[in-house]
Amino acid sequence: MEKERLVLIDGHAVLYRAFHAFPVLTTPKGELVNAVYGFTSILLTVIEEFRPSHIAVTFDRDKPTFRHTQYVGYKAQREEMPTDLSDQQNRVEEVVMVLNMPIFAVEGFEADDVIGTLAVQANVPVMIVTGDKDALQLVDKQKVVVYMPGRGKIPAKIYDQDLVEKEYGFKPKQIIDLKGLAGDASDNIAGVKGVGPKTATQLLQKFGSVERIYENLDQVREEFRERVAQLLIDGHESAILSKKLATIVTDVPITLDLAACAVHDYDKDKTIKLFEDLGFRSLIKKLPNDDFEQMVQETLL
């Protein structure tokens, strides 16, 4: 494990995963906190298992993003966050803040965009924690991996570039091209009508990108038949827009202060008090060392 590593938590994705994975749980006063407990458990497990030197959390905000401006149908089919979950987000942010972990969120951008920007700015290795495979496009052989927490019988998994290439058949950055062609129903991204993931993958393995495919339509006709070429011609505009919608931007107006993300810089007594109020006694033992405990450990080494 590297001496320094920045963990970036996709707060929105992990919160949703926790809400659906953990059973009903309430505080001694009757407040619903199953998503808060699940989120906190995943967060502390990541710290315990990977021992990062720095950590930060990102969240979506309620305002529409630039993608909704580009395409009004973007994620239009998704239901609003359930009240039982939205009521817990403030508590989750309270947990994050008492642990003195910076929260990054920018109106007009999704948490993925904020994570992508912070990952680019970081001068240390980065691990992204999320349940959203859109983040796999950010995987970089030299710097960035994606950790997907386990869910039910599905074990946790760390995606590096080799694993992405093994599962998808192409490089991480080409995931946006896959969505440009095959679309993504979960985000209401259309892609090219009639072109599925299998054909899209074959096209990308041959030509490399959406743009290169359209530059070589004659060769597409020869190797993939006239029908596929015509589908691409008919869906050209949609392919370009779909790829753009799927692309995580890395130039969000935000600046990473790595020093402010140090894991041990927090008030442990205050955190324990909050955990006791929430009924999270079982998680207290998983809290990372504070600055004093860390100093003692380093002295004894």
Side-chain angles (χ1 to χ4, degrees), residues 5 10 57 79 91-92 95-96 100-101 129 179 182-183 190 203 213 216 222 241-242 248 257 266 268 272 278-279 286:
R5 168 175 280 181
D10 183 340
V57 182
E79 296 180 0
R91 275 296 203 180
V92 166
V95 169
V96 173
N100 204 28
M101 297 173 180
V129 179
K179 294 192 176 191
L203 286 164
I213 290 167
N216 292 275
E222 292 175 9
L241 175 60
S242 296
I248 293 173
D257 179 357
Y266 77 107
K268 194 167 188 177
I272 289 172
L278 290 169
K286 297 183 69 172

Side-chain angles (χ1 to χ4, degrees), residues 218-285:
D218 287 343
Q219 193 173 346
V220 171
R221 285 190 180 89
E222 292 175 9
E223 300 189 29
F224 292 86
R225 295 183 298 181
E226 176 65 35
R227 176 181 173 276
V228 173
Q230 191 58 52
L231 288 172
L232 289 167
I233 291 169
D234 294 341
H236 185 199
E237 185 176 334
S238 180
I240 300 303
L241 175 60
S242 296
K243 178 175 177 176
K244 189 173 184 181
L245 292 172
T247 300
I248 293 173
V249 303
T250 57
D251 58 355
V252 174
I254 200 167
T255 301
L256 172 65
D257 179 357
L258 191 64
C261 303
V263 170
H264 304 287
D265 183 18
Y266 77 107
D267 187 330
K268 194 167 188 177
D269 290 338
K270 188 176 180 181
T271 305
I272 289 172
K273 175 65 169 60
L274 176 61
F275 278 30
E276 288 175 342
D277 290 344
L278 290 169
F280 294 174
R281 290 181 177 274
S282 63
L283 296 181
I284 291 175
K285 64 182 181 296

Side-chain angles (χ1 to χ4, degrees), residues 140-212:
D140 178 86
K141 202 176 191 74
Q142 304 302 321
K143 185 177 175 183
V144 181
V145 297
V146 169
Y147 174 77
M148 297 271 182
R151 185 175 183 179
K153 295 182 180 180
I154 302 173
K157 190 179 293 188
I158 297 176
Y159 282 90
D160 58 11
Q161 183 162 322
D162 291 339
L163 183 55
V164 174
E165 290 181 8
K166 179 180 179 181
E167 288 199 3
Y168 285 84
F170 45 70
K171 296 184 183 301
K173 291 186 184 302
Q174 292 174 285
I175 286 174
I176 59 175
D177 295 284
L178 175 68
K179 294 192 176 191
L181 297 171
D184 182 348
S186 67
D187 288 340
N188 203 30
I189 294 175
V192 175
K193 187 176 181 179
V195 174
K198 182 177 179 180
T199 300
T201 297
Q202 292 171 342
L203 286 164
L204 291 173
Q205 288 172 337
K206 178 68 179 180
F207 300 104
S209 70
V210 167
E211 292 77 13
R212 289 286 296 161

Side-chain angles (χ1 to χ4, degrees), residues 125-138:
V126 173
M127 172 181 281
I128 297 167
V129 179
T130 183
D132 187 351
K133 289 193 173 183
D134 286 350
L136 296 182
Q137 64 185 267
L138 298 170

